[in-house]
Amino acid sequence: MTASKPVMKMPELLVFARLLATGFVGAEVWCVAFILGANFAPTLSDISLWAQIVGMLIGTLICLTYAAKRGALFAAARMVSSFRIDLLIAIGIGIWSNELASPWLDKVHAALKNADPQWAPALFLLLCAVLLSPLIQQYWPKPKRTPPQMFFIADEEIGDEKEDLLASKAQAKSFAETVLASGAHPGLVFGVDGPWGIGKTSFINLAERYWARAEDSTIVCRFEPLRYASEPDLADRLIRDLTAAIQRKVFAPEFRPAASRYSRLIKGKADVSFLGFKLSLEPSQETVDELLDDIDEVLRRIGRRVIIVIDDLDRLDAKTTNNVLFATRRTFKLSQATYVLCYDTEILAGSKEEGSRAREFLEKFVTVKLSLFVDSSSIRDFLRRDWQRAENELGSIPSDTMVKLGAVLNVLADILDSELAAKYLPLVGNFRKVKRFVNAMLLMQIEKSNLGRTDFNKRDLINLVLLHLNYPGLFRRIYAEETEGRCGTFSVRREYEESEFKFKNSADFSTLVVEQEETAGFLLTQLFDITALELSDRSDVDEAVLASRACFNQDSFRNLEGYLKLIVRFATPEPQDTFVLYQEAVERVLKGASIASILTSPDFLLEYAHDQFWRVLVNQSHDFTRTVAEDAIETLIDYLPRYSAIKNDDRGLRQRSIYSLLRLLDRAGWGRTSGRRLPNTAENVIEIAWRIFGEHPYEGKGILQRLVGSDRGVLGWNDLMIFRLQCSADRQGQLYNLHTALIVHQHRDAATAGLVNDLALMGMRGLSQAVFSLFKRTYIDSQRNFLSEVSDAPAEAFLGEATSQIGQQVLMDDQSERDAASLAQRVSSVRSAVKSFVIYQLSNPLPPRGSGVGCGFYDECGAGDGGGIARLMNEYVFGVCFNPDFHEDNVFLFLDHCLSHLSNSFFSGGEEEGFFASKAELPGGLDPKVMGRYWSQHQELIRQLVQHVEARHVITSSYVATYSEDLAGVFAELDKLADEATAVGKESGKLLQTPS
């Protein structure tokens, strides 16, 4: 079979006609301008030459600037690089034609010569106004964009290697090089296969960066059919986008006519109506192959190769997908084109009946397929630390929100490290789904919830949020059945069976799980199934489990309803103008204004304003200079006593400020130099420990000593205990630099990575011993009664400055008796909480279990960890604070302590109701044996003193206990403790008397 002889292509008549007309019209415009200028020239005789030159230069400059901004220089460069001398000749002939046609235009030129000379400046000024209008709009100062109040993680594809969290850079480079090295072959199609959210568009963006380096030989055309899904002819749109992509890079005026002919050929016959007559226009007799040869000839002549990327193919319906594939198939004759399709095979396959046919079709259509996968380790690393690196997106998140959100994300990362990871991957198996989860947590405004001061189980919260995001109908059913005091199908029952209480699911729960999709059923099982929760063979569980798991929603402790309210009834965002106020204040600080001057300004008189200011400031502290960092830390410590300890939502501003101080230390309390920021190595972050303990350059300015200064009173010790507790690594507060500093300060060669509990034990030893040393020197050595000092502390100390003024006004107002009583009750509640919290933190001998290691776990000095601090605290509390030999009123401090540690009847499994005394809870962190011996020694005196005391009561955050109603139960439990202590003492005596 002999090869066909190539046919010479037809001249590009339309291209030459346009350029001929361009030369003709341009010459005529020049002629008209010259005539009008000649008419106007005599009127300029009275104007100096320099003014005329300046005017001409200004006009010329405006024209050149406009031309440059419109890309004229780039277009000229493309035209020059094309070496189309024939087109330049066509323009020259157009100019010559204008000269030849000048006799036909004599009447027009004569009319212009006789026109008013003022036409020239009028047209010149009009031209300047037309050209200056877009220039002025471009350079006019834009109004400063108001920063949004809350930042969420946007689901945007990445465009830079620095944003690559999936380590796709190497794979994208290899793919891009393969596409370039493969050359251009007709019908060569690369497929990029992966599920939604896997990062196909981001992968192509990275590959395109490598293709851009071969710009002299390659043109990339990104076609997004989803944008044109409603258009009837996607083939025409593909040709238009291809034409535009090529003409942006090279000068090829003949390409558009060729592409337009191809588009018309695909469309077929067209109908035109005119004055009621309908005409049918048929395309020329050219074949598709001939037109494609013309287009391919253009591509070969300009020496460029086109890579056509078709993205989001799997988001189209079946008919539209077929249209896109058909349009692509029709262009396979282009030898200079290579195609890259992005899709998910499982989506395109659809139903099982059509799935096999769709797969075979794709195998025939796609020449080379690349499948994308996401490692769960990449998602895990993002959840643990990488999500905080996008500080421009998350810069306005409050510091306590970062702590809480980080703790939740750490648990999700642990889930992806567990054996259940495969079950969770359909829900959080790509970054799109992870970002949705993070945004859902941010939308809840988690810092204003009670999560930080309750026992919410983070795994259950994660499962419920995933249900809320992925199965809203099922979540609505849970909400309808388990709120407003109801107990529905989902929550676990506690039923009495075979002489004991047992946990059971409702009768319909197992059937409901089977009816759900596999993943939805799995989430329900993880949340509510007693077998998965290891409750099926147990009659009772620890109080911590009952108080935290979402499966419990009965009686007085309704956990599930609390979870649902947290997710659904989140607080509304703050007003936008208020946030702008704080953002501008932070900007003034960064420019050199002192923080004290900001906080004392008229706009910051209330605590709420201080709270918002610190929230914004702390989260922009990564790039603080040394001066700003020092000012922020010092001012925040100084302002702590001015803030209220009264609870607002879940805690007062004084407690919230402790969290902000910790974040400041972790982010800005080390490595500050006049130039670049030092790396966070152990040698650099140890500066945080120096600040805390007052060592080296911070000698005499230690944070521990300043928090409990003589001017801070008893609340300073509450601040110190909160500070110490939040430093414990097992609380997962995302304070990595601070934890490292405490560990290295304790031992230079200690490991800073490993099991969290081991890290907490090492890092908290020196801190706990230093804290106890301060307390011992202040109270134990001098025999001062800490509890009585808390009782005698004025209410103003708890209210803070701004709240104290409001409180005094309420107390003086006769018409606000109810408000005054409420305020006094809240002060009493905080007073009780301070007593319990400080004593518990110092005497608690428990190791780290996720809620912080107790100070009493350690010895007073050394590394023995034998609970020496706990023993000394028990001796102090019972020997000084509760000792009636010092003062008879000390017995009331003892009874107040007991009444503030009542048990909830929900956990007892008995017949008690409400809060009641139990020997397990009465000690409140103290040694029950020491308490029993104390009661044996002083019970007669105590019973005698309380005979006529009935009005005294103890107020806690959960209940109010009275002497008249609750002391009887307390005495009964103390008798049990005394009996046990006596029995232990007798047994110990017998052992001592037994001969060895």
Side-chain angles (χ1 to χ4, degrees):
M1 183 177 178
T2 59
S4 60
K5 183 178 180 181
V7 180
M8 183 177 66
K9 61 179 294 185
M10 184 179 71
E12 302 158 358
L13 297 180
L14 292 178
V15 174
F16 282 95
R18 283 203 304 268
L19 294 175
L20 184 70
T22 300
F24 184 90
V25 173
E28 183 61 24
V29 169
W30 174 265
C31 181
V32 170
F34 182 82
I35 293 172
L36 293 177
N39 287 349
F40 183 66
T43 63
L44 299 176
S45 58
D46 296 335
I47 301 176
S48 60
L49 179 61
W50 69 267
Q52 299 178 33
I53 295 175
V54 169
M56 288 187 291
L57 290 177
I58 291 175
T60 304
L61 181 62
I62 292 174
C63 293
L64 292 178
T65 302
Y66 179 82
K69 291 298 180 181
R70 291 284 296 171
L73 297 179
F74 177 71
R78 287 191 301 159
M79 295 174 66
V80 172
S81 62
S82 68
F83 299 107
R84 294 298 302 269
I85 305 299
D86 53 343
L87 302 181
L88 183 62
I89 293 175
I91 295 176
I93 294 175
I95 297 174
W96 186 17
S97 300
N98 179 269
E99 179 65 25
L100 296 175
S102 58
W104 303 342
L105 303 173
D106 281 344
K107 292 183 178 180
V108 176
H109 294 167
L112 292 174
K113 290 179 181 179
N114 297 325
D116 193 315
Q118 300 302 319
W119 275 106
L123 294 177
F124 176 73
L125 292 176
L126 176 62
L127 176 64
C128 291
V130 170
L131 299 184
L132 280 175
S133 177
L135 292 175
I136 293 175
Q137 293 178 20
Q138 180 177 5
Y139 289 105
W140 191 265
K142 302 296 188 298
K144 188 176 181 181
R145 183 180 179 183
T146 302
Q149 183 171 352
M150 292 193 68
F151 283 82
F152 296 94
I153 305 179
D155 183 22
E156 298 177 351
E157 67 271 11
I158 66 172
D160 194 282
E161 297 172 358
K162 297 178 181 179
E163 304 171 1
D164 180 23
L165 299 176
L166 294 175
S168 302
K169 173 184 175 182
Q171 188 180 18
K173 179 181 179 182
S174 176
F175 174 75
E177 292 173 346
T178 300
V179 173
L180 290 176
S182 64
H185 303 288
L188 183 59
V189 179
F190 290 87
V192 178
D193 186 8
W196 288 359
I198 201 71
K200 296 188 290 292
T201 304
S202 298
F203 180 83
I204 294 298
N205 288 344
L206 294 178
E208 188 175 356
R209 292 178 63 85
Y210 293 99
W211 293 330
R213 298 174 185 175
E215 186 176 1
D216 294 338
S217 61
T218 304
I219 298 173
V220 180
C221 174
R222 299 289 290 268
F223 181 61
E224 300 177 3
L226 186 62
R227 298 173 56 187
Y228 315 117
S230 61
E231 296 191 8
D233 198 337
L234 289 174
D236 176 53
R237 175 57 64 178
L238 174 60
I239 295 301
R240 292 185 193 178
D241 285 6
L242 179 61
T243 302
I246 294 176
Q247 291 198 329
R248 280 195 298 266
K249 298 294 184 180
V250 297
F251 178 68
E254 72 276 23
F255 185 80
R256 187 178 296 274
S260 299
R261 294 201 313 274
Y262 172 60
S263 176
R264 289 195 300 271
L265 185 65
I266 291 178
K267 290 180 179 180
K269 182 175 68 174
D271 294 332
V272 179
S273 296
F274 181 72
L275 297 178
F277 296 95
K278 188 174 183 180
L279 303 176
S280 296
L281 303 179
E282 298 283 349
S284 66
Q285 296 303 314
E286 282 183 298
T287 65
V288 174
D289 291 341
E290 291 174 345
L291 289 177
L292 289 175
D293 286 339
D294 288 346
I295 297 175
D296 204 38
E297 174 63 26
V298 173
L299 294 175
R300 285 197 300 269
R301 184 187 59 76
I302 63 179
R304 295 293 186 98
R305 177 184 174 193
V306 179
I307 300 175
I308 303 174
V309 179
I310 302 179
D311 201 358
D312 292 332
L313 189 62
D314 50 5
R315 294 182 181 273
L316 305 172
D317 58 70
K319 181 179 179 181
T320 308
T321 301
N322 290 335
N323 290 340
V324 174
L325 294 178
F326 169 76
T328 306
R329 188 83 177 179
R330 296 296 298 271
T331 61
F332 274 1
K333 190 174 179 63
L334 296 176
S335 63
Q336 297 299 108
T338 301
Y339 299 87
V340 178
L341 302 184
C342 301
Y343 57 89
D344 179 7
T345 302
E346 299 304 319
I347 299 296
L348 293 179
S351 63
K352 295 182 179 179
E353 292 77 9
E354 299 294 332
S356 58
R357 295 178 57 187
R359 295 177 198 277
E360 292 175 359
F361 178 75
L362 285 174
E363 291 176 359
K364 182 178 180 180
F365 193 85
V366 176
T367 311
V368 183
K369 187 180 82 167
L370 173 70
S371 296
L372 296 182
F373 297 89
V374 173
D375 295 331
S376 60
S377 59
S378 299
I379 300 176
R380 178 200 61 203
D381 293 340
F382 174 80
L383 291 169
R384 285 182 175 163
R385 61 176 182 269
D386 293 339
W387 67 277
Q388 296 188 75
R389 294 181 181 175
E391 293 184 21
N392 289 331
E393 295 183 1
L394 301 175
S396 69
I397 300 177
S399 57
D400 48 350
T401 306
M402 298 283 282
V403 173
K404 293 179 181 179
L405 184 57
V408 174
L409 297 185
N410 275 330
V411 174
L412 183 55
D414 293 339
I415 291 175
L416 294 179
D417 261 347
S418 68
E419 296 179 355
L420 297 176
K423 298 286 188 179
Y424 281 92
L425 287 180
L427 301 170
V428 286
N430 59 60
F431 276 100
R432 176 172 296 150
K433 295 178 179 179
V434 171
K435 290 176 180 178
R436 285 184 64 210
F437 178 84
V438 173
N439 287 339
M441 299 300 297
L442 293 176
L443 186 62
M444 289 162 52
Q445 295 197 9
I446 197 171
E447 83 284 356
K448 294 185 178 180
S449 69
N450 291 325
L451 180 62
R453 302 289 289 185
T454 59
D455 294 323
F456 281 142
N457 183 279
K458 298 180 181 63
R459 183 183 290 262
D460 286 349
L461 179 62
I462 290 170
N463 289 330
L464 282 169
V465 172
L466 291 177
L467 268 177
H468 183 232
L469 290 175
N470 297 280
Y471 305 99
L474 180 58
F475 184 86
R476 293 188 196 105
R477 177 171 177 177
I478 298 174
Y479 187 86
E481 292 190 15
E482 303 291 348
T483 55
E484 304 297 331
R486 292 183 288 268
C487 183
T489 307
F490 302 92
S491 55
V492 171
R493 273 79 170 157
R494 193 181 188 197
E495 299 179 354
Y496 192 77
E497 183 179 294
E498 297 179 357
S499 70
E500 63 179 355
F501 284 97
K502 288 188 177 181
F503 297 102
K504 287 189 174 184
N505 288 116
S506 67
D508 299 329
F509 177 74
S510 58
T511 304
L512 179 65
V513 171
V514 174
E515 294 173 351
Q516 305 302 317
E517 295 182 18
E518 181 180 356
T519 305
F522 167 75
L523 290 177
L524 290 178
T525 301
Q526 292 297 304
L527 281 165
F528 308 115
D529 187 75
I530 58 174
T531 303
L533 298 173
E534 300 180 355
L535 297 174
S536 56
D537 299 328
R538 304 174 65 176
S539 60
D540 203 357
V541 296
D542 294 337
E543 181 178 347
V545 176
L546 290 171
S548 62
R549 299 312 299 261
C551 61
F552 301 113
N553 201 42
Q554 274 188 312
D555 303 325
S556 61
F557 201 80
R558 298 185 56 81
N559 295 350
L560 179 55
E561 183 168 359
Y563 279 96
L564 298 175
K565 294 293 185 180
L566 173 66
I567 295 173
V568 176
R569 304 296 181 187
F570 51 83
T572 57
E574 301 162 358
Q576 180 69 25
D577 56 342
T578 303
F579 178 79
V580 170
L581 172 68
Y582 308 134
Q583 183 64 37
E584 291 177 349
V586 171
E587 292 175 357
R588 294 203 301 271
V589 171
L590 296 178
K591 293 178 181 178
S594 68
I595 296 177
S597 66
I598 300 293
L599 297 179
T600 55
S601 62
D603 292 328
F604 290 85
L605 295 178
L606 298 177
E607 277 194 357
Y608 177 78
H610 286 221
D611 187 12
Q612 305 307 312
F613 170 78
W614 286 116
R615 291 168 64 181
V616 177
L617 180 74
V618 170
N619 286 282
Q620 299 184 20
S621 59
H622 265 302
D623 299 324
F624 279 3
T625 62
R626 174 177 290 275
T627 302
V628 176
E630 292 290 338
D631 187 23
I633 294 173
E634 294 296 316
T635 305
L636 184 53
I637 295 174
D638 289 340
Y639 267 74
L640 282 177
R642 307 185 187 190
Y643 296 148
S644 172
I646 301 296
K647 291 186 177 181
N648 181 14
D649 291 331
D650 62 336
R651 60 189 178 278
L653 178 56
R654 186 159 185 167
Q655 292 89 328
R656 289 168 63 88
S657 298
I658 297 295
Y659 300 124
S660 297
L661 176 60
L662 288 167
R663 294 291 296 174
L664 270 176
L665 291 173
D666 185 76
R667 303 175 74 173
W670 58 275
R672 302 293 161 176
T673 65
S674 57
R676 61 182 180 84
R677 173 75 177 272
L678 298 177
N680 63 334
T681 60
E683 293 77 9
N684 293 329
V685 299
I686 197 174
E687 183 181 351
I688 300 175
W690 295 347
R691 287 181 180 272
I692 292 174
F693 294 102
E695 299 174 356
H696 298 286
Y698 305 101
E699 185 174 357
K701 298 184 295 182
I703 293 177
L704 300 182
Q705 292 86 348
R706 294 184 61 188
L707 289 178
V708 293
S710 58
D711 58 331
R712 308 242 166 173
V714 292
L715 277 178
W717 294 98
N718 192 65
D719 297 338
L720 180 61
M721 295 308 156
I722 295 175
F723 182 91
R724 189 206 73 88
L725 179 62
Q726 292 301 319
C727 288
S728 187
D730 66 311
R731 295 180 63 86
Q732 298 182 340
Q734 300 245 334
L735 303 172
Y736 173 78
N737 295 323
L738 186 144
H739 296 154
T740 300
L742 292 176
I743 293 173
V744 175
H745 182 267
Q746 182 71 18
H747 195 289
R748 281 281 182 177
D749 299 326
T752 57
L755 294 177
V756 174
N757 288 351
D758 294 341
L759 299 178
L761 284 176
M762 173 62 73
M764 294 295 288
R765 181 179 294 112
L767 179 61
S768 299
Q769 290 171 345
V771 168
F772 176 72
S773 177
L774 289 171
F775 187 84
K776 182 174 181 291
R777 184 166 59 248
T778 305
Y779 285 100
I780 298 179
D781 292 344
S782 59
Q783 301 288 285
R784 288 170 55 184
N785 191 329
F786 174 77
L787 297 179
S788 66
E789 291 188 11
V790 176
S791 299
D792 296 337
E796 291 77 7
F798 298 90
L799 296 174
E801 287 185 355
T803 311
S804 177
Q805 297 174 2
I806 299 174
Q808 290 178 5
Q809 183 177 357
V810 168
L811 292 172
M812 294 172 60
D813 190 350
D814 294 336
Q815 298 179 357
S816 303
E817 294 182 1
R818 182 175 302 176
D819 295 336
S822 175
L823 183 61
Q825 186 173 359
R826 294 170 68 186
V827 171
S828 297
S829 175
V830 176
R831 200 186 298 272
S832 297
V834 170
K835 293 178 183 179
S836 299
F837 183 73
V838 173
I839 296 301
Y840 177 81
Q841 289 301 317
L842 288 168
S843 60
N844 174 20
L846 297 178
R849 296 176 179 174
S851 58
V853 58
C855 192
F857 179 81
Y858 301 101
D859 290 334
E860 185 177 2
C861 59
D865 299 344
I869 293 177
R871 288 191 293 273
L872 290 173
M873 280 301 300
N874 277 276
E875 293 175 3
Y876 164 71
V877 172
F878 288 102
V880 176
C881 298
F882 297 157
N883 192 347
D885 296 336
F886 282 73
H887 198 288
E888 283 189 350
D889 287 346
N890 287 350
V891 300
F892 297 111
L893 297 176
F894 168 72
L895 295 177
D896 290 348
H897 173 83
C898 294
L899 291 175
S900 63
H901 291 88
L902 299 182
S903 300
N904 193 326
S905 59
F906 180 80
F907 309 111
S908 66
E911 298 179 355
E912 298 87 351
E913 294 183 1
F915 291 87
F916 66 98
S918 68
K919 63 179 182 179
E921 297 295 332
L922 280 183
L926 299 173
D927 191 335
K929 291 187 286 295
V930 179
M931 178 176 280
R933 291 195 294 269
Y934 170 88
W935 178 248
S936 298
Q937 182 179 357
H938 301 290
Q939 62 172 313
E940 294 183 3
L941 175 62
I942 294 174
R943 291 179 186 273
Q944 180 181 357
L945 290 175
V946 300
Q947 284 181 355
H948 305 290
V949 178
E950 296 183 356
R952 190 178 178 101
H953 58 268
V954 173
I955 300 175
T956 69
S957 59
S958 303
Y959 59 87
V960 177
T962 63
Y963 274 42
S964 59
E965 295 181 2
D966 297 299
L967 274 187
V970 170
F971 289 166
E973 297 303 314
L974 289 175
D975 289 338
K976 296 178 182 178
L977 290 177
D979 292 341
E980 292 178 0
T982 303
V984 171
K986 292 180 179 179
E987 187 66 27
S988 300
K990 290 180 180 180
L991 292 175
L992 293 174
Q993 294 173 6
T994 302
S996 58

